[in-house]
Amino acid sequence: MSIAAQRDRVADEGGVDHGAVARRARVWGWWFVAEHRIRAMRAYVASWVAIGVGSPFLFLLGLGLGLGLLVDANQGAQGVDGVPYLVFIAPALSMATAMQTAAQENTYGVFGGFKWFPMFFAMNGTPIGPAHIAVGFQVSVLVRVLLPLVAFSAVMIVFGIGTATGALLLIPIGLLLATAAGFAVMAWVSTQTEDRGQLSFVERFVVVPLTLFSGTYFPLETLPAFLHWIGWISPLWHAAELGRSALYGAELPPVMLLVHLGYLVLVALVACLLSIRTFRRRLDK
C-alpha cells in the first residue's frame, strides 16, 4: 500500500470526520507547515527583531557616512549612476540581505528537517505531502525575510534615500528574490544526506561571491568583461537592477525590465519544482 493510501486509510478511521480534515490538509497543508515554523520562530523573536531592524540601519549608516563619503568625494557631482553612493547602494544592500537570509534559512533548516530533527518525515506521515512541506517551508522563510526588507525600506523613507514609493517597491522585489534564491538552495540541500562540511559552502562559495560580483557595491560594468557573466546569472544582480530603477529611477529599458522579472520568476519556478521532486523522492520511499 502506498504512503498516500495509508494516509487516507488512517484519516478515515475513528469517530471524527478525518476525511474532511484530510481534504482540508491537502488544500491548506502548505500553510500548516508555514504556521508551524512561524510559531517556532517565537523562541528567538527578540534576536530576530534586533538583527532584522538593526542591521539595515548600521549598514546604511556605515556605508553612507564612511565609504559613501569617500566615493562621492572622488566621483564629484555625478556620483555613481548619477546619484550619491548611498542611494546607489541602498537597494542592492536590501536585496543582498534578502538573498543571504533566504540562503541561510534554507541551508541548515532544510537539512535538519531531514536529518537532525526529522520533522519532514513526521509531517509526511499525515495528509500533508512533500509539495506542501517544501512550499510551506519557503513561505515561512519569506516571513523571516520580510522584517529586514521592511526595516530597510523604513530607514530609506526616514532618511530620504530615493523615493518613498520606490522604497516600498523594494519589499516585493526582495521577496521575489528570496523565493528564487531560497528554492535554489533548497533544491540542492534537499539532495544532501550527510553533512561533511559542504553545507557551509553555500555561504562561502555561492552567497558571498554573488554578493561581491553582482553589482552590489559598484556597477557591474566596472568589472572586467570576463566576469560579467557572474552578474548575468545571479538573481541578486537582476533584483538589484529592479530595485535601483524603483528607488531612484535608474534607466531600465522595458525589455530589460521583462528580462529581470522573467529571470527571477523562472529561477523560482524551476527551483521550486526541483525541490518538490527531491522532497517527494526522499519522503515517499
Side-chain angles (χ1 to χ4, degrees):
M1 183 182 295
S2 68
I3 290 180
Q6 293 176 26
R7 286 197 295 257
D8 291 340
R9 180 178 178 181
V10 172
D12 291 333
E13 295 177 351
V16 182
D17 188 1
H18 292 295
V21 175
R23 288 190 294 272
R24 184 165 177 261
R26 291 194 183 97
V27 176
W28 294 101
W30 62 272
W31 172 247
F32 297 159
V33 175
E35 183 182 12
H36 164 76
R37 292 225 346 127
I38 293 170
R39 288 178 179 272
M41 291 178 186
R42 294 182 300 179
Y44 54 94
V45 67
S47 60
W48 177 31
V49 172
I51 295 174
V53 175
S55 293
F57 177 79
L58 294 176
F59 268 122
L60 294 176
L61 180 66
L63 289 171
L65 297 182
L67 181 61
L69 293 178
L70 296 175
V71 173
D72 291 339
N74 183 62
Q75 292 294 110
Q78 64 180 9
V80 179
D81 199 24
V83 294
Y85 184 69
L86 178 59
V87 179
F88 169 80
I89 199 175
L93 284 178
S94 177
M95 298 300 106
T97 300
M99 182 184 73
Q100 291 165 2
T101 303
Q104 291 167 358
E105 291 289 323
N106 279 279
T107 303
Y108 292 99
V110 171
F111 186 83
F114 285 111
K115 186 72 174 179
W116 296 322
F117 40 96
M119 62 179 179
F120 294 160
F121 292 97
M123 293 175 178
N124 194 57
T126 73
I128 296 174
H132 295 131
I133 299 171
V135 174
F137 186 97
Q138 211 58 243
V139 170
S140 70
V141 171
L142 294 183
V143 173
R144 172 73 175 82
V145 171
L146 183 61
L147 180 60
L149 283 174
V150 171
F152 262 107
S153 296
V155 172
M156 293 178 202
I157 293 173
V158 170
F159 289 97
I161 301 173
T163 64
T165 301
L168 293 176
L169 285 175
L170 294 179
I171 297 175
I173 297 172
L175 291 177
L176 177 58
L177 170 62
T179 303
F183 271 126
V185 174
M186 173 185 278
W188 177 76
V189 172
S190 59
T191 66
Q192 306 302 300
T193 57
E194 299 291 338
D195 178 18
R196 297 184 176 87
Q198 77 275 23
L199 297 181
S200 63
F201 290 177
V202 174
E203 179 74 21
R204 297 176 183 176
F205 300 111
V206 178
V207 175
V208 171
L210 287 183
T211 302
L212 294 175
F213 296 105
S214 296
T216 305
Y217 301 104
F218 41 79
L220 186 66
E221 295 75 19
T222 61
L223 287 173
F226 66 88
L227 292 177
H228 287 181
W229 66 272
I230 300 177
W232 298 338
I233 67 171
S234 169
L236 176 57
W237 178 68
H238 293 277
E241 291 297 291
L242 290 172
R244 286 174 176 135
S245 177
L247 185 66
Y248 61 85
E251 184 178 354
L252 187 64
V255 65
M256 288 307 299
L257 173 65
L258 294 177
V259 168
H260 294 318
L261 283 174
Y263 184 81
L264 291 172
V265 171
L266 179 63
V267 171
L269 288 176
V270 171
C272 176
L273 294 176
L274 291 175
S275 298
I276 293 173
R277 180 183 181 186
T278 306
F279 269 60
R280 184 171 289 117
R281 284 182 174 180
R282 293 193 65 175
L283 296 174
D284 282 354
K285 290 183 179 180

